[in-house]
Amino acid sequence: MALLTILEFPDPRLRKEALPITDVDDSIRQLADDMLETMYDAPGIGLAAPQIGVMDRLIVLDCVKEDGEELRPLVMFNPVVVAASDEVNVYEEGCLSIPEQYGEVTRPEVVDVEWMDRDGNAQRERFDGLWATCVQHEIDHLDGKLFIDHLKPLRRQMITRKMQKLKREMARK
Ligand code: K1U
Ligand code: ZN
């Protein structure tokens, strides 16, 4: 197992579209396990492959938040939202690639997602609550989309400028 480095906005790799996975083999299963370890360590509730610089359509998530409740690590290859409710939900989202910045994002409250699991089997499940928010946030990463793209222009600009300034300061150190 290995901890991976999480890319930070405005890294251009976060804006690229990831490619479909054709073969679920041991190397991609190992990558998924390393991503889960990295996500739990961060700590976070989700992680998408482009966030660690791998342009494959792979996400991991576990939105179990209660202490003592059994973990539910999910690994999804080629996830797709196949149905979404008209009802929406507003959640103050964060992102491991945009540290310490938050914003209210409106998304469908309930989504049906299809994906391929670690054994190459097709899966379909309905998600609601934080699971629905998180799976949509992670699938957005696969299309080069970030939660700030859902915010009002002024808030998005504020976060973008803060992150650009932080990057310049880090480069000077
Ligand atoms: O994709 C990511 O950057 C991970 C991100 C997922 C996410 C958070 C909030 C709403 C939608 C999607 C995070 O995990 S940020 C960290 C976080 O939310 C968290 C960390 C520890 C405990 C609980 C939440
Ligand atoms: Zn994110």
Side-chain angles (χ1 to χ4, degrees):
M1 297 279 261
L3 286 182
L4 308 164
T5 302
I6 299 175
L7 303 179
E8 291 192 1
F9 178 76
D11 190 299
R13 285 169 285 183
L14 293 169
R15 288 311 199 175
K16 292 207 172 120
E17 200 175 326
L19 298 171
I21 290 163
T22 48
D23 272 338
V24 178
D25 57 17
D26 282 347
S27 72
I28 198 111
R29 276 191 282 267
Q30 181 62 55
L31 175 67
D33 288 341
D34 290 344
M35 282 174 59
L36 278 170
E37 191 185 7
T38 304
M39 177 193 83
Y40 286 125
D41 179 75
I45 53 173
L47 192 66
Q51 291 180 277
I52 46 117
V54 174
M55 302 317 294
D56 289 335
R57 298 190 78 82
L58 159 60
I59 65 172
V60 299
L61 63 160
D62 186 347
C63 298
V64 171
K65 284 207 303 190
E66 299 301 319
D67 278 348
E69 211 179 311
E70 202 182 324
L71 298 177
R72 193 190 176 212
L74 275 183
V75 172
M76 299 183 178
F77 301 105
N78 303 331
V80 182
V81 173
V82 291
S85 62
D86 291 333
E87 293 77 26
V88 294
N89 185 35
V90 181
Y91 192 87
E92 182 156 63
E93 296 191 14
C95 180
L96 297 173
S97 296
I98 314 179
E100 290 168 41
Q101 305 302 321
Y102 305 91
E104 285 192 345
V105 178
T106 303
R107 301 184 187 270
E109 192 175 5
V110 183
V111 287
D112 291 350
V113 179
E114 285 183 355
W115 72 94
M116 203 160 57
D117 69 15
R118 55 187 306 133
D119 301 316
N121 296 320
Q123 299 288 343
R124 181 183 174 126
E125 191 171 327
R126 178 161 294 178
F127 294 97
D128 60 13
L130 184 56
W131 285 91
T133 297
C134 187
V135 77
Q136 291 175 81
H137 175 118
E138 301 310 330
I139 292 173
D140 269 359
H141 273 300
L142 303 181
D143 295 321
K145 197 162 182 185
L146 301 171
F147 83 88
I148 54 172
D149 302 336
H150 294 273
L151 304 180
K152 295 200 178 87
L154 205 64
R155 179 83 186 117
R156 180 167 65 235
Q157 199 179 64
M158 257 182 61
I159 294 178
T160 302
R161 289 191 176 152
K162 249 188 226 167
M163 293 301 295
Q164 285 166 339
K165 187 166 170 243
L166 212 68
K167 189 184 171 186
R168 283 198 300 276
E169 285 168 3
M170 295 292 280
R172 262 190 251 119
K173 277 184 188 166

